[in-house]
Structure formats: C-alpha cells, structure tokens
Amino acid sequence: MINVQEFARRLSTLGAKAFTSDDVVDLAIAADVRVSPDLGIDATVAQRILDHISPPVPVTGAQIAASEWPPPTSSRPAAPPVVFSSPGAVEGPGDQSARPRGSGPARAGQRPGSRRTGR
C-alpha cells in the first residue's frame, strides 16, 4: 500500500505529465473510489484509478502499489495482446458426440456393494 503523495509521484515518473495529490484525488473521484492523504492505496484501488488515465499507463495497479518502485523490467519481450474477434461458445471437434458420455461400462442388476441375505 502507498499513500496519495507516493501514488502521484510514481505516476509522474511514468510520463511527461506531472501528477499532484489533487490530480490523484480527482482521478479517484472519477473512478468512484475514496482516497485521502490518510488512507493507503492498494492494488485494487490503484487499478481502478489507472483505468481512468488517458492515455493508459504501462503499469498495473499491483505494480504501482508494490513496495518496489520502479517495477522490475523483464529481459524477455512482452507477449502481444490477445484479441478475440467473435464472442460465443467454442465448438469442439465433430467426432466428440460419437463417444459415450459414461465413465465406464453400464451395469445391469444389483448395485455394487449391495448384498441380499438368504433369510
């Protein structure tokens, strides 16, 4: 968790615009979250605030609220974003419906474990 002043300082290091504590409070109001100099900002609140910044910043709420700043950089290239072109159910291969749905052979007669006594 970080305070409002630290959140503003960290936001300022990410881009050309300098953020103040008042800017952070305004962003929080736009995000419908409550912040004050006395309250800490956790990862969830930070993400809700970051979602209202345009253009988007290159960090997540968890990264900006973490105790380590700036966030560690990876030597691996970032994965490209995934875009889904059409929503809906995913259809499986056509031959799946031919398989039986049971988990084993069908049993006729008595239930397993039931016994009749000869009395």
Side-chain angles (χ1 to χ4, degrees):
M1 246 192 212
I2 58 175
N3 63 26
V4 173
Q5 290 83 11
E6 179 62 15
F7 189 84
R9 186 189 73 76
R10 291 180 181 191
L11 274 179
S12 297
T13 64
L14 294 173
K17 182 180 177 191
F19 285 87
T20 65
S21 298
D22 291 336
D23 294 330
V24 173
V25 171
D26 291 342
L27 287 167
I29 291 169
D32 199 28
V33 294
R34 188 175 149 219
V35 296
S36 73
D38 303 333
L39 296 175
I41 297 175
D42 65 4
T44 305
V45 170
Q47 188 61 54
R48 288 180 64 186
I49 293 171
L50 292 177
D51 289 342
H52 282 81
I53 295 176
S54 182
V57 293
V59 296
T60 65
Q63 289 172 317
I64 202 166
S67 59
E68 183 180 342
W69 185 261
T73 56
S74 174
S75 59
R76 296 177 11 184
V82 176
V83 178
F84 295 97
S85 59
S86 64
V90 177
E91 295 179 13
D95 64 342
Q96 281 189 345
S97 61
R99 283 194 251 157
R101 294 185 180 245
S103 61
R107 296 184 184 181
Q110 296 180 348
R111 289 189 212 155
S114 65
R115 293 186 181 164
R116 287 190 176 194
T117 55
R119 293 188 192 190

